[in-house]
Amino acid sequence: MQLISLTSAITYAGCWAATLSTALTNILSVPRLIQALGIDRIYPGLIFFSKGYGKHGEPYRGYGLVFFVSLIFILIADLDAIASLITNLYLASYAFINFCTFHAAVVKPLGWRPTFRYYHPYISLLATILCVAIMFLISVVSSFLAMAIIFVLYLIVVYRQPDANWGSSVQAQAYKTALNATLNLEGTSDHVKNYQPQILAIAGDPMQRPALIDLAHLITKHSALLVIGNIVPQRLPYKQRRSLATMGRTYLKDSHIRAFYKIVDGVDFDHGARCMIQSTGFGRLSPNILMLGFKSNWRTCGQQQLNAYYNTLHTAFDNRLALLIFRMGKGLDIFHGLSQADLYTAAPSPPETTITVPSRKIIARRSLMPVNSNLDLHELMQTARSNQTSPAPTFHAAPTFDFPTPSTMNEPEANMFKQKQPKGTIDVWWLYDDGGLTMLLPYIITTRSKWEKCKIRVFALSSVNVQEEEQK
């Protein structure tokens, strides 16, 4: 560089300025970046450096980390030994930035609004290719080493699955892909070879009837649509309804059940079921099977409840849905001392609470803890306003667990569809030709790993004439 420059002083001044600017950038930005990674709990080793000090939350621990890392590289005292690796890491970061810009420009989310008039997406793609090419021209070994470091960091993020939402363009791409696939699927006709059992399971609160949800998930597991419906007869305030929806989705996620959760409130059971059947799904992604629990108290319940259940069955047939009624010996409700209405009864709460639904707040299956959503936000706010003259404070709903624990069902029966089944027999009473669904569902169950040792035994009706013809 000294040979092609006008004077060597310019070379030294340029290197000094570049080194100083890079050092200042790293001192100011890298500790903040480390602090942000620690706050999002992406990498376990960086959580210690997430603590901020002072009014502006200065990352003093991050400053110390950057200082010691820089000191280690300085003590190496051989610039040529580390220059290629550092340069390739910088080029890799530039390549990723350019590719992210290209991807955002192609997907075109609403938040992508470039101000440069002459910008073109393929300029970013070209810059990405040039950065990767320069990396290999500098050093092949350091290029693969830099890629290996980036790949390991990526695997850590995938493995930990941090609870953070960065609003990346990948989400926008996933939305557009799903939308286009759904629209393309709408234009294709049904065929028996591509039939999928898409289930609408009206199970109420997810933690109330786990066996019903487990059976539905066993049928649709990772291959078909599953919607869990909850019909609440009381009218719920918005925040309480949102809390219940969050709790239901959290329960399904912790139970590793891939399903949608839908709540309909303020209507009777039969009207709520009709609303769900007619409004759930869109296009080909609509339920074709309605799954209900058997009404074991049909002898003692009121006439209105029995009519609502009977009307729901007719609604399913009127909308050309197959009907699946699930019955267990001891019933489906694991909380025998808790009724559906008890889940949504108003209960007093502290005047200032916070709406927090931790991902591990709900303990699924093993502990069988009840869910209490006893909070009527409307009554709470009215009581607070009547007892004060100053402006009403902001109230945040939080589900509380304050009612006594009722008696629970035997745990093995509640978790029957989660456990590995020994060799056994699945009896199918095929009384008449219903299109094959009676035979298809047991077959699907036997294809699952936990039920693969079970065999299907079919009981069917036949006339005397048919038997005589078969004997001949």
Side-chain angles (χ1 to χ4, degrees):
M1 294 179 63
Q2 295 181 6
L3 296 176
I4 62 176
S5 62
L6 295 176
T7 174
S8 60
I10 298 177
T11 303
Y12 286 108
C15 293
W16 182 83
T19 304
L20 181 61
S21 63
T22 304
L24 292 176
T25 301
N26 291 336
I27 291 175
L28 295 176
S29 62
V30 174
R32 292 285 184 182
L33 179 61
I34 295 174
Q35 185 183 36
L37 294 175
I39 292 174
D40 290 339
R41 309 181 71 87
I42 298 177
Y43 301 106
L46 300 180
I47 298 177
F48 174 78
F49 301 96
S50 62
K51 184 177 180 180
Y53 296 88
K55 182 179 179 181
H56 301 287
E58 294 294 335
Y60 291 152
R61 296 179 180 180
Y63 291 147
L65 177 63
V66 172
F67 172 76
F68 282 109
V69 171
S70 302
L71 183 62
I72 291 173
F73 281 96
I74 291 174
L75 293 178
I76 294 177
D78 188 1
L79 183 61
D80 295 334
I82 61 175
S84 59
L85 178 60
I86 295 176
T87 303
N88 281 339
L89 288 175
Y90 270 103
L91 287 172
S93 64
Y94 296 151
F96 276 111
I97 292 174
N98 281 284
F99 182 77
C100 291
T101 305
F102 166 76
H103 188 264
V106 172
V107 176
K108 294 181 179 180
L110 295 179
W112 171 252
R113 294 183 292 270
T115 56
F116 185 59
R117 181 178 180 182
Y118 301 102
Y119 170 77
H120 196 275
Y122 288 100
I123 297 178
S124 299
L125 181 61
L126 178 62
T128 302
I129 298 174
L130 291 177
C131 288
V132 175
I134 295 173
M135 286 175 59
F136 283 93
L137 289 176
I138 292 176
S139 175
V140 177
V141 176
S142 61
S143 298
F144 282 110
L145 182 60
M147 291 182 178
I149 294 173
I150 295 172
F151 184 70
V152 170
L153 295 176
Y154 172 75
L155 290 181
I156 294 175
V157 175
V158 173
Y159 175 76
R160 288 183 58 84
Q161 295 182 351
D163 187 14
N165 187 3
W166 299 291
S168 64
S169 59
V170 178
Q171 297 176 351
Q173 178 66 47
Y175 172 80
K176 287 195 172 183
T177 302
L179 180 61
N180 293 330
T182 304
L183 293 174
N184 294 334
L185 192 64
E186 180 68 14
T188 59
S189 58
D190 295 331
H191 196 279
V192 65
K193 294 181 180 179
N194 299 322
Y195 174 81
Q196 294 290 346
Q198 302 181 139
I199 298 178
L200 169 61
I202 301 181
D205 191 274
M207 293 190 67
Q208 183 81 352
R209 302 175 182 88
L212 180 65
I213 298 177
D214 289 340
L215 176 59
H217 177 65
L218 191 67
I219 297 174
T220 63
K221 192 174 183 180
H222 306 303
S223 60
L225 175 68
L226 174 59
V227 181
I228 308 299
N230 185 7
I231 302 174
V232 183
Q234 293 84 9
R235 185 176 181 86
L236 301 177
Y238 171 75
K239 289 187 178 180
Q240 185 180 357
R241 190 174 187 273
R242 185 179 61 182
S243 298
L244 290 175
T246 303
M247 291 166 60
R249 286 191 292 267
T250 303
Y251 172 82
L252 295 176
K253 180 180 178 181
D254 292 343
S255 301
H256 305 288
I257 296 176
R258 303 187 65 178
F260 296 98
Y261 182 58
K262 186 175 182 179
I263 298 177
V264 174
D265 65 286
V267 292
D268 297 333
F269 180 79
D270 52 345
H271 293 92
R274 179 180 292 273
C275 292
M276 280 194 175
I277 292 173
Q278 295 181 351
S279 63
T280 301
F282 41 88
R284 294 283 300 278
L285 294 179
S286 298
N288 50 28
I289 299 176
L290 176 65
M291 187 173 182
L292 295 172
F294 179 77
K295 194 169 184 59
S296 57
N297 62 339
W298 64 274
R299 294 179 181 270
T300 58
C301 68
Q303 185 68 26
Q304 185 177 2
Q305 294 184 11
L306 193 59
N307 289 336
Y309 188 84
Y310 185 76
N311 293 335
T312 302
L313 304 184
H314 275 274
T315 301
F317 293 137
D318 292 340
N319 289 272
R320 299 298 186 269
L321 264 66
L323 184 61
L324 180 61
I325 300 178
F326 180 50
R327 183 181 184 181
M328 296 184 67
K330 296 183 180 180
L332 296 176
D333 295 346
I334 61 174
F335 304 134
H336 295 311
L338 185 66
S339 63
Q340 177 75 5
D342 293 333
L343 292 171
Y344 312 102
T345 305
S349 300
E352 187 70 21
T353 56
T354 305
I355 181 166
T356 56
V357 184
S359 59
R360 295 297 180 263
K361 180 81 172 182
I362 303 172
I363 303 176
R365 297 290 195 274
R366 289 299 175 189
S367 60
L368 298 178
M369 291 290 292
V371 175
N372 180 19
S373 304
N374 288 351
L375 184 59
D376 191 337
L377 190 62
H378 181 69
E379 294 181 1
L380 179 64
M381 296 183 68
Q382 283 185 346
T383 304
R385 289 172 182 171
S386 62
N387 295 333
Q388 63 178 3
T389 56
S390 58
T394 303
F395 293 92
H396 305 279
T400 57
F401 302 86
D402 53 5
F403 56 82
T405 304
S407 59
T408 61
M409 178 194 291
N410 190 18
E411 185 180 354
E413 187 173 352
N415 295 327
M416 181 176 63
F417 296 101
K418 287 192 65 178
Q419 299 171 350
K420 183 75 173 180
Q421 299 297 322
K423 291 183 179 180
T425 304
I426 301 177
D427 291 337
V428 180
W429 297 84
W430 198 10
L431 303 181
Y432 63 94
D433 187 5
D434 58 351
L437 189 61
T438 306
M439 292 296 301
L440 178 62
L441 296 184
Y443 168 75
I444 294 176
I445 293 176
T446 56
T447 60
R448 309 310 182 195
S449 59
K450 295 181 180 180
W451 290 73
E452 60 184 0
K453 294 183 179 180
C454 298
K455 296 182 179 180
I456 300 177
R457 182 171 57 184
V458 181
F459 295 89
L461 297 177
S462 62
S463 62
V464 178
N465 296 331
V466 174
Q467 293 179 355
E468 293 178 353
E469 292 179 0
E470 290 180 354
Q471 292 177 359
K472 293 178 181 180

